[in-house]
Amino acid sequence: MVDDRVGGGPLSTSKLGTSKSGTAKAPPKPPAAPGQGPGRADPLLVELLTQHLDPGYRAAADRRGAEQGNPARIRPPAALVRRHRLVTAVVLLLTGILLSIAYQQTRARAPQAARTHAELVSAVRQRTADVDALTSREQDLAKAVEWRRAEVLADSAQGAATTAKLGRLRDAAAQSAVDGQGMVVMAGDAAESDAVGGGPRNGTHADSEVNRVLDRDLQQMVNALWAGGAQAISVGGQRLGPTSTIREAGSAVLVDFRPLSSPYRIVAIGDPDKMEPAFAESEIAQSFTTYPQLYGMTFSTRRESRLQVPAVGSHTVSFAHPLPSATPAPAGTSPAGGSSQRTGSGAPRSSPTAEPKGPPHR
Amino acid sequence: MIAAAALVIGVVLGLLFEPTVPQLLQPYLPIAIVAALDAVLGGVRARLDRVFDDKVFIVSFISNVFIAALIVFIGDKLGVGSQLSTAVVVVLGIRIFGNVAAIRRHVFRA
């Protein structure tokens, strides 16, 4: 076989026949030297790296040249050309179809990951919206219930006392919105790894474990504020009640199982004259004042005169028992009996509402 | 030129009609593509070398595609499918590169 590479190459040595492509050659001769001496390159590899053209072409050309008695003339006879040309065209047509099929298949498969991601994101958003809608409906219903209860209890002294006690319990359980003066603490992560994907966290950067505000930090800040005399605290818009939690899952901070993103805004309602110095002296505040310089995190506190914190977002009924009442009531429409337990706290209440006068009728 | 036109028409037809490959042949599609590319580029280079022969082109095309798919198929049955597939792709890729380099030398005289 004739080597038909032109010019230099990794394996072309002076021993190989340097036939310039296009010119006719004498009948094919075996390649010289490589592989035939000790220490020479393996003929398989030599062939792989130099013989790229199908040797059939050269052989056919030489055969045609020899047949026609003129080695220089290497074009095929015109008679056969047309038929073969047609088949060649068909073959190329098929190749084109094959290429486009492969392209379409690849294009259909490639964004699968991106599509799954987008679907998950939209599903999460949808569910979050559903939850929000249900929560607001629940809050509306709760208000309606309270109104009815107040209505029912208003017409007796015992009822009024019950209402007052209920109000105190609800305030203690953080189930009423509070406003007043207080202070705001803002703490944020170092702004270096939020580039990819956006959103609160996507957990792809393992090295974003450092220079982040942890759940411990928020817990300590909140405790310092409580110790300083705060009466109502919310973190990231989530009110902290007696059973609220500040936790971490993966790389996201969750308050009452709702994820929050940096920077975290802690609103504490209370007397700022007491809270500010007490907070500033706390360990966590003193550590955090050094963090902006050391780690690039953010931390600031300020007092405000008009702050508002919402009620606790979710309160579940843990205990309920029917009223000891003689008058029959339609099942399920006893808002006074049911709501007497809705203090959100896990501790059992021994029927604080001594409401013996019977449930209201609609 | 008819050849180039046929290739382009084939691509357009494929994009228009979006034929589906039978499920059985799906795994061999990529290797068939590489083998087809190698044969086509070999044909182009032969054309520039002025040794092009239709019959050789057709035979080399069909045998390339068929043998490549056969190797991968046997490899799948023997449990070395991915390795053999890699080997086939490497060899065909080397040939493609060599042919493209020769074509480049013809076209740009460089």
Side-chain angles (χ1 to χ4, degrees):
Chain A
M1 287 188 276
V2 177
D3 167 35
D4 47 1
R5 265 173 65 89
V6 177
L11 290 178
S12 77
T13 66
S14 57
K15 297 241 184 154
L16 292 176
T18 52
S19 66
K20 183 141 175 50
S21 40
T23 61
K25 272 299 276 184
K29 61 180 192 237
Q36 288 179 3
R40 289 291 176 175
D42 186 358
L44 169 68
L45 288 180
V46 169
E47 190 180 324
L48 178 68
L49 291 169
T50 55
Q51 310 267 7
H52 298 137
L53 189 60
D54 196 310
Y57 290 111
R58 176 59 62 188
D62 292 335
R63 193 175 58 242
R64 277 196 301 275
E67 277 170 7
Q68 290 160 6
N70 184 357
R73 185 181 156 164
I74 54 176
R75 297 200 183 269
L80 232 42
V81 162
R82 191 142 13 120
R83 189 191 309 171
H84 283 164
R85 203 49 61 91
L86 189 64
V87 181
T88 301
V90 168
V91 164
L92 285 171
L93 198 81
L94 289 177
T95 304
I97 295 180
L98 209 61
L99 286 173
S100 66
I101 290 177
Y103 168 73
Q104 280 163 350
Q105 274 198 349
T106 310
R107 198 181 50 175
R109 270 201 304 260
Q112 188 61 35
R115 251 191 284 155
T116 309
H117 174 78
E119 275 168 20
L120 284 174
V121 165
S122 81
V124 164
R125 289 216 176 105
Q126 176 67 37
R127 295 290 172 267
T128 307
D130 290 345
V131 165
D132 288 341
L134 288 174
T135 306
S136 83
R137 174 166 156 76
E138 188 229 357
Q139 284 169 353
D140 292 341
L141 289 175
K143 285 205 189 76
V145 162
E146 281 168 35
W147 188 78
R148 290 226 185 278
R149 176 172 60 213
E151 207 179 31
V152 162
L153 295 177
D155 54 0
S156 72
Q158 197 170 23
T162 305
T163 310
K165 184 170 175 189
L166 207 51
R168 284 197 301 277
L169 290 170
R170 284 181 60 232
D171 288 342
Q175 291 213 355
S176 41
V178 179
D179 53 13
Q181 58 173 351
M183 62 185 285
V184 174
V185 177
M186 301 266 300
D189 298 343
E192 39 118 7
S193 60
D194 287 329
V196 179
R201 294 276 184 274
N202 56 2
T204 56
H205 294 275
D207 56 87
S208 68
E209 291 297 319
V210 295
N211 305 346
R212 287 197 302 119
V213 178
L214 302 173
D215 53 352
R216 298 197 283 280
D217 301 330
L218 293 177
Q219 287 167 4
Q220 286 171 356
M221 285 185 203
V222 164
N223 287 341
L225 288 167
W226 284 128
Q231 286 160 8
I233 298 186
S234 78
V235 177
Q238 298 282 327
R239 176 78 177 276
L240 296 186
T243 56
S244 296
T245 55
I246 303 178
R247 310 168 64 168
E248 216 167 1
S251 47
V253 171
L254 307 169
V255 172
D256 273 344
F257 305 108
R258 300 204 75 146
L260 300 180
S261 62
S262 160
Y264 305 99
R265 187 166 185 264
I266 306 178
V267 173
I269 296 191
D271 184 0
D273 294 325
K274 294 212 195 78
M275 281 199 302
E276 262 198 305
F279 183 73
E281 281 171 10
S282 67
E283 265 187 57
I284 186 71
Q286 289 182 349
S287 313
F288 254 81
T289 41
T290 64
Y291 289 173
Q293 273 155 321
L294 289 180
Y295 305 116
M297 299 165 64
T298 60
F299 178 70
S300 67
T301 62
R302 68 173 185 277
R303 63 160 67 191
E304 301 236 350
S305 56
R306 288 165 55 147
L307 289 170
Q308 198 178 17
V309 295
V312 164
S314 57
H315 34 267
T316 54
V317 181
S318 300
F319 297 94
H321 56 250
L323 285 181
S325 143
T327 1
T333 60
S334 165
S339 61
S340 65
Q341 301 295 339
R342 284 175 86 255
T343 55
S345 148
R349 306 232 166 246
S350 53
S351 185
T353 72
E355 290 172 8
K357 299 297 184 259
H361 295 276
R362 305 215 67 222
Chain B
M1 284 308 106
I2 300 185
L7 193 61
V8 170
I9 292 176
V11 171
V12 169
L13 283 180
L15 287 175
L16 278 181
F17 291 112
E18 298 188 9
T20 50
V21 177
Q23 202 61 26
L24 205 61
L25 300 176
Q26 285 261 4
Y28 308 108
L29 193 62
I31 207 80
I33 297 287
V34 179
L37 275 179
D38 172 52
V40 166
L41 286 171
V44 172
R45 178 193 177 166
R47 181 76 182 78
L48 290 172
D49 281 356
R50 300 205 226 145
V51 292
F52 183 75
D53 188 59
D54 293 274
K55 197 166 91 170
V56 173
F57 172 72
I58 296 162
V59 170
S60 82
F61 182 96
I62 294 178
S63 70
N64 258 7
V65 171
F66 181 70
I67 289 176
L70 185 70
I71 289 178
V72 173
F73 172 74
I74 290 180
D76 278 341
K77 293 293 172 256
L78 295 177
V80 288
S82 69
Q83 287 88 333
L84 279 181
S85 165
T86 304
V88 169
V89 168
V90 164
V91 168
L92 290 175
I94 291 178
R95 285 169 58 120
I96 287 176
F97 265 103
N99 286 333
V100 167
I103 293 171
R104 182 223 341 136
R105 276 193 292 272
H106 274 291
V107 171
F108 293 115
R109 305 265 187 277

